[in-house]
């Protein structure tokens, strides 16, 4: 809901929610940041690319694609394992940069 109002007053509570112990709360906060698409939140989103929970990492990929589309692939790719490469490739149509990722099958 906070992301839908696009208010800068929502940014700090959402950043705080990224540190919540619940993966559901972290993923929801990332969803709200995705909806806001505020480039100023990119660093907080990038940190969640290495979250222990795969749902949070997937939400971070989607959020970064919305928050910082020009740099998303370059910032996401080094953090990905095989599990998220397909998700990133499916988002490439939404990102305004070229998006060709080699699929590393060694993982």
């Amino acid at each position: 809901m906070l992301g839908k109002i696009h208010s800068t007053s929502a940014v700090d509570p959402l950043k705080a929610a990224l540190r919540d112990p619940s993966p559901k709360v972290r993923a929801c906060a990332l969803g709200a940041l995705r909806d806001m698409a505020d480039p100023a939140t990119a660093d907080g989103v990038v940190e969640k690319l290495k979250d222990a929970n795969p749902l949070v990492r997937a939400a971070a990929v989607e959020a970064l694609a919305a928050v910082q589309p020009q740099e998303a692939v370059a910032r996401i790719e080094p953090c990905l394992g095989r599990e998220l490469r397909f998700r990133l490739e499916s988002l490439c149509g939404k990102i305004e940069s070229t998006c060709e990722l080699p699929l590393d099958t060694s993982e």
Side-chain angles (χ1 to χ4, degrees), residues 9-23:
S9 64
V11 171
D12 287 337
L14 290 170
K15 284 183 174 179
L18 293 177
R19 296 184 300 275
D20 194 274
S22 168

Side-chain angles (χ1 to χ4, degrees), residues 1-4 6 30-38 63 66-67:
M1 185 65 121
L2 285 174
K4 299 286 185 199
H6 298 280
L30 286 162
L33 291 171
R34 177 201 62 221
D35 293 343
M36 291 179 72
D38 180 352
V67 167

